[in-house]
Amino acid sequence: MRNTALLLSYEGTAYHGWQIQKDEPTVQQTLSEAIKKLTGSWPSPELTGCGRTDAGVHALNYVANFHHDSTVPAERMPYALLPFLPPDISVKAAREVPDDFNARFSCIKKEYCYRIYSAPFPDPFKRDRACFTTYPLDVERMNAAARLVEGRHDFAAFRATGGSAKTSVRTVFSCRVEQEEDQTAVYISADGFLYNMVRIIAGTLLYVSAGKIEPESITDIIEGRQRTSAGITMPPQGLYLRRVWYGEREGLDF
Amino acid sequence: MRNTALLLSYEGTAYHGWQIQKDEPTVQQTLSEAIKKLTGSWPSPELTGCGRTDAGVHALNYVANFHHDSTVPAERMPYALLPFLPPDISVKAAREVPDDFNARFSCIKKEYCYRIYSAPFPDPFKRDRACFTTYPLDVERMNAAARLVEGRHDFAAFRATGGSAKTSVRTVFSCRVEQEEDQTAVYISADGFLYNMVRIIAGTLLYVSAGKIEPESITDIIEGRQRTSAGITMPPQGLYLRRVWYGEREGLDF
């Protein structure tokens, strides 16, 4: 049996996240049905995604893999899937991968981005794509706090209930805030993320910007391990999965 | 009676254009109902827009005016209308204008932008916001043709049937093509536009890029006045009304 990895992007507004759910449209279900139509496989192929994303969350580069017996060459799959996919999901590349490659468990690093814009009125063109605030953002203060998020820590304070992870220790490789035209973007990469971790970190940085939390308090918040001492969970529409990394052994060049 | 002008932006995907239609949602209708809720006027105020836009076309800065007796100060109107508007329509500013100001007839200049992106696969985040093509675009060739569109001409070759204008002579002040990151944008300003004129000019520039029309043939196409000699009418989702201008007498600073 072949094992094929797909690189996709999706605009998550219309979906209840990645993971298949009863009675709700999801990206996994939609992509799975497209593959089924292409390969004629029965039952639908079991698609393994690089992680769950919540309802309304977007992905710029998401990786999923599936085992199958189809004869469609990997390099033709993006073109062959195109007619079966809705316009808010796009398969950009496909690669053959080793039999034991697993998009979720083989993943060694992920990067997310959280987008916020500050304006007097909501912008119709940023609806569902970024989080709106009327308050001006202090990028310098946010970056002073963001630096303290980096490193190997127990992130229990930045974890929503409902996740299944056994430990809340994670390594954040990089956390930085950038002003890009009229948007402020929080970039964060780590070896893994807890449930709602990025949205809670973004909410905490927003509190730092507003003066509700001092930048240097981040260390205390991490050490205290109390969810209530961190900021709010930001809404899903500003969140983007930007990139995922795999080990060299997998030979995945995307 | 007061005469108030509103500056708005809208993401046109969900609407059948500006102009009120029977049984179809339009921007004029939606905004008119919001104003009615705010001012309590009966019947709905008659809103005059700076021009018709087609279904799916967007506006970054659209001007509309209406006569009314409400006591809401103009500077408060954008905030006061906010709760009554859907997230794809935003009122950004409001100004008191002279009694005879008419958003359509007082307008002396308009600028549109048409956005095209060239990529191997459609981008979910540009869906409804730009026109997709798999062909690379030749911006230099397009600009050589765009320059010949500028000036006072009879634009009958770039006019779709169905418009109501008596003459097809217009002055194009500027027509230029710019490469902006992964999008190609056609900017065009004129004293007025014929029905589908921008979308036909954009389609003609695309034909020039593809080598189907030579840049220097634009002059012949204009002089021939034949719609069939120009390029295709591009789809609506790449089209944006960017800005409208009024005379100094109107005192409109937006």
Side-chain angles (χ1 to χ4, degrees):
Chain A
M1 257 199 156
R2 291 167 60 190
N3 189 8
T4 303
L6 304 175
L7 180 69
L8 55 141
S9 69
Y10 54 84
E11 210 275 347
T13 307
Y15 300 98
H16 285 248
W18 164 264
Q19 184 101 342
I20 285 185
Q21 287 182 27
K22 219 178 160 182
D23 305 327
E24 301 284 8
T26 66
V27 179
Q28 188 182 27
Q29 170 97 36
T30 308
L31 181 58
S32 184
E33 281 167 12
I35 293 171
K36 185 176 161 183
K37 282 175 192 156
L38 172 67
T39 63
S41 71
W42 182 266
S44 291
E46 202 175 307
L47 260 178
T48 304
C50 61
R52 296 187 179 193
T53 59
D54 282 336
V57 172
H58 314 296
L60 300 171
N61 292 289
Y62 188 99
V63 173
N65 74 292
F66 65 106
H67 289 85
H68 62 111
D69 287 317
S70 111
T71 56
V72 181
E75 66 271 18
R76 291 299 309 161
M77 278 208 186
Y79 302 94
L81 284 169
L82 198 50
F84 303 116
L85 285 170
D88 47 10
I89 299 177
S90 176
V91 171
K92 302 191 282 185
R95 299 281 187 276
E96 292 303 292
V97 284
D99 188 60
D100 62 348
F101 173 88
N102 179 295
R104 181 173 168 204
F105 295 114
S106 305
C107 180
I108 55 172
K109 179 180 168 184
K110 280 183 196 166
E111 184 185 34
Y112 280 93
C113 173
Y114 196 91
R115 300 197 161 272
I116 309 165
Y117 72 105
S118 170
F121 301 103
D123 179 344
F125 296 92
K126 295 195 179 73
R127 176 177 59 112
D128 301 331
R129 306 278 175 94
C131 180
F132 165 67
T133 174
T134 52
Y135 294 98
L137 297 179
D138 186 332
V139 173
E140 205 177 319
R141 260 180 83 91
M142 291 171 83
N143 260 321
R147 272 193 292 275
L148 301 174
V149 172
E150 295 178 352
R152 186 164 179 82
H153 304 294
D154 183 336
F155 285 99
F158 300 93
R159 174 191 200 164
T161 53
S164 58
K166 281 173 196 136
T167 163
S168 47
V169 174
R170 293 290 183 276
T171 300
V172 170
F173 301 119
S174 169
C175 184
R176 62 189 198 282
V177 184
E178 288 183 16
Q179 188 62 36
E180 297 169 351
E181 291 184 21
D182 56 353
Q183 290 185 44
T184 306
V186 178
Y187 292 95
I188 179 162
S189 65
D191 58 355
F193 289 89
L194 303 168
Y195 188 49
N196 279 355
M197 181 168 151
V198 180
R199 287 161 60 184
I200 298 170
I201 289 174
T204 304
L205 295 180
L206 204 67
Y207 271 21
V208 168
S209 173
K212 290 185 191 176
I213 292 177
E214 290 306 308
E216 53 273 21
S217 303
I218 295 295
T219 304
D220 290 342
I221 293 171
I222 292 173
E223 286 174 3
R225 305 183 70 254
Q226 296 302 311
R227 171 68 189 90
T228 48
S229 61
I232 52 163
T233 304
M234 297 290 279
Q237 71 267 23
L239 186 60
Y240 296 75
L241 176 63
R242 264 173 69 87
R243 204 180 152 188
V244 287
W245 284 262
Y246 294 93
E248 277 182 26
R249 198 192 66 81
E250 271 84 30
L252 252 194
D253 58 345
F254 56 64
Chain B
M1 255 197 158
R2 292 167 59 190
N3 188 9
T4 303
L6 303 176
L7 180 70
L8 54 141
S9 69
Y10 54 84
E11 211 274 347
T13 307
Y15 300 98
H16 285 249
W18 163 263
Q19 184 101 343
I20 285 185
Q21 286 181 28
K22 220 177 160 182
D23 305 326
E24 301 285 8
T26 65
V27 179
Q28 188 182 26
Q29 171 97 35
T30 308
L31 181 58
S32 183
E33 280 167 13
I35 293 172
K36 185 176 161 183
K37 281 175 193 156
L38 172 66
T39 62
S41 71
W42 181 266
S44 290
E46 202 175 305
L47 259 178
T48 303
C50 61
R52 295 187 179 193
T53 60
D54 282 337
V57 172
H58 314 296
L60 300 170
N61 292 289
Y62 187 99
V63 173
N65 74 292
F66 65 107
H67 290 83
H68 63 111
D69 286 318
S70 109
T71 56
V72 182
E75 67 270 21
R76 290 301 306 163
M77 277 206 187
Y79 301 93
L81 284 169
L82 197 51
F84 303 117
L85 285 169
D88 47 10
I89 300 177
S90 176
V91 172
K92 303 192 281 183
R95 299 281 187 274
E96 292 303 292
V97 283
D99 187 61
D100 62 348
F101 174 87
N102 179 296
R104 182 174 169 204
F105 294 115
S106 306
C107 180
I108 54 172
K109 180 181 169 185
K110 280 182 196 167
E111 185 185 35
Y112 279 93
C113 173
Y114 196 91
R115 300 197 159 274
I116 309 164
Y117 72 105
S118 170
F121 301 103
D123 179 345
F125 296 93
K126 294 196 180 73
R127 174 178 59 111
D128 301 331
R129 305 280 176 92
C131 180
F132 165 68
T133 175
T134 53
Y135 294 98
L137 298 179
D138 186 333
V139 173
E140 205 176 320
R141 260 180 84 89
M142 291 170 82
N143 261 320
R147 271 192 292 277
L148 300 174
V149 172
E150 295 178 352
R152 185 163 179 83
H153 305 294
D154 184 336
F155 285 98
F158 300 94
R159 175 191 199 163
T161 52
S164 58
K166 281 173 196 137
T167 164
S168 48
V169 175
R170 294 290 183 276
T171 300
V172 170
F173 301 118
S174 169
C175 183
R176 61 189 200 284
V177 184
E178 289 184 15
Q179 188 62 37
E180 297 170 351
E181 291 183 23
D182 57 352
Q183 290 185 44
T184 306
V186 179
Y187 292 96
I188 180 164
S189 64
D191 59 355
F193 290 90
L194 302 167
Y195 188 50
N196 279 354
M197 179 168 154
V198 180
R199 288 161 60 183
I200 298 171
I201 289 174
T204 305
L205 295 180
L206 205 66
Y207 271 22
V208 168
S209 172
K212 291 186 193 175
I213 293 178
E214 289 307 307
E216 53 274 20
S217 303
I218 295 295
T219 305
D220 291 342
I221 293 172
I222 291 173
E223 287 174 1
R225 303 183 72 253
Q226 295 302 311
R227 171 68 189 90
T228 49
S229 61
I232 52 162
T233 303
M234 297 289 279
Q237 71 268 19
L239 186 60
Y240 296 75
L241 175 63
R242 265 172 67 86
R243 204 180 153 187
V244 287
W245 283 263
Y246 294 93
E248 276 182 28
R249 197 191 67 81
E250 271 83 32
L252 251 194
D253 59 345
F254 57 65

